[in-house]
Amino acid sequence: MSAWFILSTGRCGTQWLSHRLTKLLPKQYWVTHEPLSQDYMPMENSPSLPLTVNADKILGHLTEIRDHINRGGKYVECGYQCWRHLSWYKDILQTDVKVIHLHRNPMSTACLWLQKGAFLRLSEMELFTPFGAEAKLPEYGSKWHKLSPIEKNLYFWAEVQAQAKEYKASWPDEDWFDLPYSQLLNSRTLQKLGHFLDCKINLHPSNLMVDNQLMELEEIPIDDSVLKAHPGILSLAEELGYKVSSQQNELQMRVGS
């Protein structure tokens, strides 16, 4: 038996995917979406110290996953808050822990989180900062107070991708699936995802309907000067296959072939 976890920044279709997988996968698959929400506490908990706070809630969730797997079930966790706990799950679940790395271009992600109020001065929604334990991009700490809200959201995107890069370096290739947001409705990609989930997915058009959950996540063309001011983030984007077009002074990032 196996457990699959989506690794993402959020605002990239995790809720849509969880709803679709719930309909498409057999009953032995338990598909959840953000089961602990912010109780994972990514600022306080880290990959090497995942139980610094909220240990009872996180261990209780671990027990639920184990019980389901021990009964012959399979587990799929969608959402983004578990991104700092994946190596811990891999070490402790005593089953194959597989990762679906769902990602989208950094500017669209940053803008959509900004629309949700992330990192705005009057908002308490700080997704992650360079002051968190074991942050991968601590160099942003010294200039954090100078960054605009959009830049802070870009930082969050980059921090998650930097953590994903570190995970992937030590993860078995066969247990890692790269899923660009732009490929969520691609039938060939979804067939591969089904194979990765040890299940054949029914690709009838009715199962791939675009609904409001994806409509609100459409790509947003944006002046790319903000991203160009952060070459490290741009480099992470390029490593994931995104290409920046300078035409019309807009950011148009597409997954490379």
Side-chain angles (χ1 to χ4, degrees), residues 100-207:
I100 300 167
H101 182 199
L102 176 59
H103 54 84
R104 71 181 304 169
N105 84 58
M107 285 305 297
S108 290
T109 304
C111 288
L112 286 163
W113 269 123
L114 191 62
Q115 289 176 3
K116 287 290 184 179
F119 296 107
L120 291 177
R121 290 181 180 178
L122 299 179
S123 172
E124 295 182 357
M125 188 188 296
E126 287 199 331
L127 302 167
F128 193 78
T129 76
F131 309 109
E134 298 177 38
K136 299 302 172 190
L137 304 174
E139 63 271 19
Y140 273 85
S142 61
K143 53 188 173 183
W144 188 250
H145 65 289
K146 298 179 181 179
L147 297 182
S148 66
I150 192 68
E151 288 177 305
K152 290 180 178 180
N153 279 287
L154 275 175
Y155 158 80
F156 171 65
W157 180 93
E159 181 70 38
V160 174
Q161 307 314 325
Q163 182 64 68
K165 182 179 178 179
E166 181 173 297
Y167 284 149
K168 188 175 182 180
S170 61
W171 221 275
D173 289 344
E174 64 272 18
D175 292 342
W176 190 278
F177 188 85
D178 185 74
L179 179 58
Y181 167 82
S182 61
Q183 298 295 305
L184 273 180
L185 297 177
N186 181 286
S187 59
R188 177 179 291 183
T189 300
L190 291 176
Q191 285 178 335
K192 292 179 180 179
L193 177 60
H195 179 75
F196 185 71
L197 290 165
D198 299 332
C199 181
K200 184 176 181 180
I201 291 181
N202 181 2
L203 296 178
H204 189 276
S206 63
N207 291 325

Side-chain angles (χ1 to χ4, degrees), residues 36-52:
L36 291 185
S37 188
Q38 294 300 330
D39 284 341
Y40 272 116
M41 302 296 286
M43 276 293 291
E44 290 79 7
N45 291 324
S46 65
S48 66
L49 295 172
L51 302 174
T52 302

